[in-house]
Amino acid sequence: MVLPRVITSILLVPLVLSAVWVGSLPFFLFVMAITLLCGWEYSLMAEAGGYPNQFWMSLFGNSLVLLALFMDGVPWGPLHRSPSVVFVFLFLFFLSFMREFFRRDKSYSFLRAVTTMAGIVLCSFCLGHLLLIRDLRAVGGEGILPIGREMVFFLLFVVWGVDTGAWLIGRLLGRMKMAPKVSPKKTWEGAVGGTLLGCLIGWFFRALFLRESVGGFEAFLFSLAIAIVAQASDLIESLIKRSFGVKNSSDLLPGHGGLLDRFDSFIFSAPFFYYVLIGTGRFN
């Protein structure tokens, strides 16, 4: 399975990097495609595991939430005084329950609505923070400097470094199982190796591209936090799959499983990294 995994990465990574580099509408459409495919995988997994959900509501909700994130800061007519994403969530939650009123069998109505909304949160809301990071600007002595592209690259390379380091070290030296009932192949040795490689990559990336905006120790702390949250995010997605009784989210990517398997580390690391950056007060 190593060769298909490598080939898939060689094809997928340039596509991701190109979309991030261009930004704007192409990046939005790229993230939209990823989100909808992840939502599709989630819905099929849930149904297979006995968790009924509203498939079409899921696709509609993922699209609407991602659009709200993309238009963050843009006046929405009467919504210009309220957070549009919050309104969209309330609207979708309302619609998901209203949809259940028209079903004959209402024994799974609550489960169906909640399962649907959970998928929207995991797929479009969490992964959609990549759009918010891409639009970040640094505020400093030299004025406002667009830095979102570099920050997305920083997140990508750190997470990819963590995944690669954990996979390699886990295969070579892994002995102590981290969570055998959730993800049998993950080991503590792999986690430590992935964290070290992720921090090293983050430090070098900062030295090359973020020297004016991020300090060396700060980059190390960012990388360390991303590494921890990314691996926890990976385990959470594995926990969801175990709950649904499936091994992979799909067979869409040879050697990797599905798109949700490939982007699982970003589910929580993307929003976490965004709010950490905003919390410093130097990015907006």
Side-chain angles (χ1 to χ4, degrees), residues 202-251:
W203 190 86
F204 273 111
F205 186 91
R206 174 264 167 192
L208 293 175
F209 304 107
L210 294 171
R211 187 181 294 273
E212 302 299 324
S213 304
V214 180
F217 184 66
E218 188 177 33
F220 168 76
L221 291 179
F222 285 164
S223 302
L224 180 61
I226 290 171
I228 294 172
V229 176
Q231 293 182 83
S233 183
D234 191 331
L235 286 173
I236 290 172
E237 195 258 353
S238 296
L239 178 63
I240 293 172
K241 289 189 296 185
R242 293 294 174 267
S243 299
F244 292 158
V246 298
K247 182 179 180 181
N248 295 320
S249 59
S250 75
D251 296 320

Side-chain angles (χ1 to χ4, degrees), residues 77-88:
L79 302 180
H80 72 285
R81 292 186 179 275
S82 62
S84 56
V85 179
V86 175
F87 175 83
V88 167

